[in-house]
Amino acid sequence: MASSLFRTLIRSSKLGSAGTRNFSLVRTQISEHTAKWMQDTSKKSPMELINEVPPIKVEGRIVACEGDTNPSLGHPIEFICLDLDEPAICKYCGLRYVQDHHH
């Protein structure tokens, strides 16, 4: 899938005018893939699965989320401030963090 998507990107960038790129072919492939994936209602969506993970308690005010302990499986480091009362959410993976108060 990734290699065909990459080839489509290259092909569409050559089809457009000198300074613009045509990504309509990529959008079509992505929407078809998403529609096919969403047909199976017996499986949970990624958002449902990540929401089942309880918020992670952290002692400090700031947490560095990497998505996974293995750097090749994670995402760029996201520093998240935990000053709010509700859980803070990582914008990359959706993990939730709360500050663990020891009072």
Side-chain angles (χ1 to χ4, degrees), residues 37 40-45 48:
W37 180 80
D40 188 3
T41 57
S42 65
K43 295 180 182 177
K44 293 182 180 181
S45 72
E48 290 170 328

Side-chain angles (χ1 to χ4, degrees), residues 3-90:
S3 62
S4 65
L5 185 61
F6 183 69
R7 277 182 270 157
T8 303
L9 276 173
I10 292 171
R11 213 177 317 121
S12 65
S13 67
K14 291 177 183 176
L15 294 175
S17 61
T20 62
R21 293 185 178 167
N22 180 4
F23 291 108
S24 62
L25 295 174
V26 176
R27 264 188 241 117
T28 304
Q29 281 187 348
I30 291 172
S31 63
E32 287 174 5
H33 172 74
T34 304
K36 183 179 177 183
W37 180 80
M38 293 299 287
Q39 287 175 355
D40 188 3
T41 57
S42 65
K43 295 180 182 177
K44 293 182 180 181
S45 72
M47 292 304 292
E48 290 170 328
L49 291 172
I50 200 70
N51 284 332
E52 290 179 356
V53 177
I56 301 166
K57 293 183 179 181
V58 180
E59 289 185 20
R61 289 181 54 227
I62 296 176
V63 65
C65 182
E66 296 181 86
D68 194 72
T69 54
N70 183 346
S72 63
L73 298 176
H75 56 69
I77 294 176
E78 173 72 11
F79 293 96
I80 304 169
C81 183
L82 303 175
D83 287 340
L84 301 175
D85 291 334
E86 62 270 355
I89 303 170
C90 176

